[in-house]
Amino acid sequence: MFGSPLLRAPVLATVLSGFLACGVQALPKITRTGKYLYDESGTRFYIKGVAYQEQGAVVESADNAFGEPSSFIDPLSVGDACKRDVSFLKDLGINTIRVYSVNSSLNHDDCMSTFSQAGIYTLIDLSLPLNGSIDRNQPAWGTNVLDQYTRTIDVFSKYDNVLGYNIGNEAVVGDHPTTAPFVKAAARDIKSYLSSKKITALIGYAAINGAADFRVPLANFLSCDPSGANSDSSSIDMYGLNNYEWCGDSTFAAAYQGTTQAFSNYNVVAYFGEFGCVPPSPPRPWTEVKELFSSDMAPVWSGGIAFSYFPASSAAGQFGMVTISSDSKTVTTGQDYDNLKSQYGAVSFINSPSQSSVSASSYPTCPTTINSVAVSTKLPPTPNEAACNCLESALSCQFTPKTSNYSTIVGEIIPFGCGLVGQAGGSCDEISGDGGNGTYGRVSYCDPAIKASYVMSLYYEATNKNAQSCSFAGNGTVNSKVPTSVPNAAAAASSCVASPDAVFVPSSAPSSTGKGSSSSGGSSASGKPSAGLSLTEGPHALVAVGMAAMVSLLGAAWTLA
Ligand SMILES: *[C@@H]1O[C@H](CO)[C@@H](O)[C@H](O)[C@H]1NC(C)=O
Ligand SMILES: *[C@@H]1O[C@H](CO)[C@@H](O)[C@H](O)[C@H]1NC(C)=O
Ligand SMILES: *[C@@H]1O[C@H](CO)[C@@H](O)[C@H](O)[C@H]1NC(C)=O
Ligand SMILES: *[C@@H]1O[C@H](CO)[C@@H](O)[C@H](O)[C@H]1NC(C)=O
Ligand SMILES: *[C@@H]1O[C@H](CO)[C@@H](O)[C@H](O)[C@H]1NC(C)=O
């Protein structure tokens, strides 16, 4: 854990003079050729990075085995903090920061230009805590998360220093490998969105490490072509393996050799999405750095992200390199920072192979199992907002919570309502999807609030439209615009979602203000990502996301008053 030996005398933050971006040379674009990254001059690009996000509030609970935060502070929205930190980041010798959650409503100009002027690229995770990510245990690829992702891209596409966007962090774990098709569908749709907007940023995913029969098939699944036509259309560009295999002073043979061999034939870019094991005892010597950029590893890996600039604690240790004073003005560096700085300072990149000698990637057919569990190569469809809006307006009972903070209620109402629907002889199949057998219900990509309305309508109709059955303790309202003779909820789903398998280029998200109270909602998630823990020993996205850890109270809270 965090200890005073880590700290040395405070160093006053250097405040950069705030000169404007006009006239400043844009950073070179980084692109992928085959399994490597190159800059515009054809020089190989390696990620020499650090994770850059303060840890959000972590609520300890059995439902939060990964110790993930339920809130976040957007590190690219606080210009003064970026100016405070940039000299330390430059001094560390990095060229990339990874941020785990950003808020598309905020302004990022100040930070993005501060980092651009310092030659620092950003790797931006698109997910947010709780319902802003693909749920590990009850995954969906839905309009709500798609909209959040495209809004973020719209906001960041104007900057010259976005290296790539991660569509998920540790969303697929060993005990729920059938989440992978949902993540791959996100890669497919975000990729086509970027391409439609002529945005060249790369698409990535950051993975939890694990046993060979988990991590290798997962990596291959995300970079394969399910159609067998060698197309890149649903492949990620870069696979970030969150890797904590090197602890203290280790060796290539002991820490990385097996992993490097396992990825030696990988078809797209591979790098360490996080690294920096704390045990056996702090401070970390960061001696893995010279290995990561050495001739042992450079043919396979394109660098990595050291975890973490800001303090970040978990059961596995204290991962921060600096501390920030309580008035947010002063940075105090620790021994971890000094050690990483000297290791990063000693790196020279191996500029090989040359870009012209590298052949384009091929995209093989997909693995059919991950962690020995069958996963379908039939991916979920592209979330279709218009179809979901059509359905919503046709539903006889609508989810109308009395609070804007409704995502927990959605998480309770859906399983509870489905229990009632089942007792009444109906089925909630259309709201769920199964990545194991490639079955995706017509309503499965709709916003969770619309799914709740759908379930409530099924029950209301199954009980002969008894007004009490639409109440759900005050969370439901009968839709007076739907005449009693209209098609029922299931028929509305069939007519509104006429092409349930359709894949298409998503359009920009509607403005977040123009929607009704029930048109944007939370995940129906619950559950524990427990078995994933046995696969690795990292801090597990301390500042990150990956699931909605909502407590499903099932029937407990419910009466039909
Ligand atoms: C984004 O920032 C706005 C403005 O401060 C705030 O209202 C909103 O709740 C934030 N969104 C998230 C997801 O934190
Ligand atoms: C939102 O609801 C959850 C669960 O009911 C509660 O823990 C949380 O404090 C609420 N947040 C706000 C801002 O009301
Ligand atoms: C998450 O839930 C909140 C309400 O609790 C909602 O405002 C927000 O839009 C939801 N986000 C997503 C991506 O569904
Ligand atoms: C797919 O799996 C789900 C359970 O997750 C099951 O309800 C459904 O019947 C299965 N469909 C097929 C076609 O096997
Ligand atoms: C809605 O559901 C919540 C349970 O999540 C319950 O506490 C509340 O009483 C219900 N009714 C209203 C009017 O919010």
Side-chain angles (χ1 to χ4, degrees):
M1 287 302 293
F2 194 73
S4 53
L6 284 174
L7 303 180
R8 61 171 205 196
V11 179
L12 282 180
T14 315
V15 178
L16 283 191
S17 58
F19 72 95
L20 296 169
C22 65
V24 172
Q25 186 108 36
L27 286 185
K29 270 197 177 89
I30 306 300
T31 53
R32 175 173 73 87
T33 301
K35 62 193 287 182
Y36 302 112
L37 298 171
Y38 293 92
D39 71 13
E40 287 169 26
S41 73
T43 303
R44 214 178 137 192
F45 181 84
Y46 293 86
I47 295 167
K48 196 163 53 147
V50 69
Y52 185 75
Q53 184 136 17
E54 291 191 65
Q55 189 170 19
V58 178
V59 180
E60 307 279 350
S61 88
D63 288 292
N64 189 16
F66 278 45
E68 286 171 326
S70 48
S71 67
F72 70 101
I73 302 157
D74 178 344
L76 300 178
S77 69
V78 190
D80 287 346
C82 296
K83 291 191 182 96
R84 174 198 66 204
D85 292 329
V86 69
S87 56
F88 293 94
L89 295 169
K90 274 175 83 169
D91 200 37
L92 205 46
I94 61 153
N95 62 18
T96 306
I97 54 175
R98 179 176 173 200
V99 304
Y100 291 84
S101 288
V102 294
N103 181 339
S104 61
S105 312
L106 302 177
N107 186 302
H108 303 91
D109 292 351
D110 213 1
C111 284
M112 291 303 281
S113 101
T114 297
F115 291 135
S116 173
Q117 285 163 31
I120 295 172
Y121 292 88
T122 54
L123 195 49
I124 296 174
D125 284 39
L126 296 170
S127 39
L128 299 183
L130 302 176
N131 63 339
S133 54
I134 295 173
D135 187 278
R136 282 194 188 103
N137 297 340
Q138 293 182 23
W141 171 230
T143 55
N144 53 323
V145 177
L146 169 65
D147 285 352
Q148 175 190 300
Y149 282 14
T150 58
R151 274 193 197 107
T152 300
I153 289 166
D154 290 348
V155 161
F156 279 91
S157 63
K158 60 177 175 288
Y159 303 121
D160 67 5
N161 54 337
V162 177
L163 174 63
Y165 296 104
N166 280 329
I167 45 150
N169 180 61
E170 304 190 350
V172 187
V173 295
D175 62 347
H176 276 277
T178 55
T179 298
F182 296 89
V183 173
K184 191 169 177 67
R188 176 199 63 205
D189 293 339
I190 294 303
K191 193 164 185 169
S192 73
Y193 183 75
L194 290 179
S195 152
S196 75
K197 301 274 171 182
K198 311 245 178 319
I199 301 169
T200 55
L202 303 164
I203 282 289
Y205 172 76
I208 195 167
N209 202 352
D213 62 352
F214 167 73
R215 66 184 185 178
V216 176
L218 174 60
N220 290 337
F221 191 87
L222 294 178
S223 66
C224 66
D225 177 19
S227 77
N230 194 26
S231 155
D232 69 352
S233 61
S234 64
S235 170
I236 55 167
D237 295 302
M238 45 199 315
Y239 194 75
L241 183 68
N242 295 343
N243 185 309
Y244 292 86
E245 291 176 294
W246 179 300
C247 301
D249 280 316
S250 190
T251 61
F252 176 64
Y256 292 151
Q257 190 164 29
T259 306
T260 299
Q261 271 162 7
F263 282 83
S264 59
N265 292 319
Y266 197 49
N267 58 334
V268 299
V269 172
Y271 73 103
F272 286 173
E274 292 171 1
F275 69 92
C277 168
V278 170
S281 62
R284 289 173 284 183
W286 294 106
T287 42
E288 65 266 56
V289 165
K290 63 176 179 305
E291 198 49 58
L292 180 55
F293 295 93
S294 74
S295 57
D296 287 332
M297 294 181 71
V300 177
W301 306 99
S302 293
I305 302 283
F307 193 86
S308 145
Y309 179 77
F310 291 108
S313 301
S314 82
Q318 154 34 46
F319 290 80
M321 298 172 210
V322 306
T323 49
I324 308 293
S325 62
S326 54
D327 65 1
S328 298
K329 293 213 165 99
T330 308
V331 178
T332 304
T333 58
Q335 191 64 46
D336 265 34
Y337 175 95
D338 291 346
N339 293 349
L340 182 61
K341 176 184 159 181
S342 73
Q343 293 291 340
Y344 266 167
V347 167
S348 53
F349 296 140
I350 298 172
N351 187 21
S352 127
S354 68
Q355 190 171 20
S356 56
S357 71
V358 171
S359 45
S361 299
S362 58
Y363 301 91
T365 54
C366 297
T368 54
T369 63
I370 298 173
N371 206 22
S372 307
V373 174
V375 286
S376 178
T377 55
K378 184 176 175 227
L379 306 182
T382 306
N384 184 335
E385 190 125 27
C388 295
N389 290 342
C390 162
L391 173 64
E392 182 182 33
S393 59
L395 290 172
S396 55
C397 174
Q398 308 227 321
F399 176 61
T400 51
K402 304 281 184 286
T403 168
S404 58
N405 177 26
Y406 55 79
S407 68
T408 306
I409 298 177
V410 179
E412 294 165 357
I413 222 164
I414 290 177
F416 176 71
C418 284
L420 295 174
V421 168
Q423 285 163 27
S427 154
C428 276
D429 284 356
E430 296 291 11
I431 66 164
S432 55
D434 188 292
N437 61 20
T439 307
Y440 307 103
R442 282 173 192 268
V443 188
S444 61
Y445 57 56
C446 293
D447 189 293
I450 298 178
K451 289 185 186 180
S453 296
Y454 178 78
V455 170
M456 293 159 78
S457 298
L458 287 178
Y459 182 63
Y460 174 57
E461 289 162 6
T463 54
N464 298 316
K465 299 196 171 178
N466 173 344
Q468 291 290 9
S469 344
C470 176
S471 167
F472 286 79
N475 290 293
T477 308
V478 171
N479 182 359
S480 58
K481 298 200 185 92
V482 178
T484 34
S485 59
V486 291
N488 63 22
S494 295
S495 66
C496 290
V497 187
S499 312
D501 297 329
V503 171
F504 55 92
V505 180
S507 46
S508 293
S511 88
S512 45
T513 49
K515 301 185 85 188
S517 67
S518 65
S519 60
S520 166
S523 165
S524 60
S526 72
K528 305 180 186 87
S530 51
L533 282 178
S534 63
L535 290 169
T536 177
E537 288 153 15
H540 304 300
L542 288 163
V543 284
V545 274
M547 74 168 303
M550 286 168 203
V551 184
S552 178
L553 299 174
L554 294 171
W558 295 96
T559 55
L560 292 173

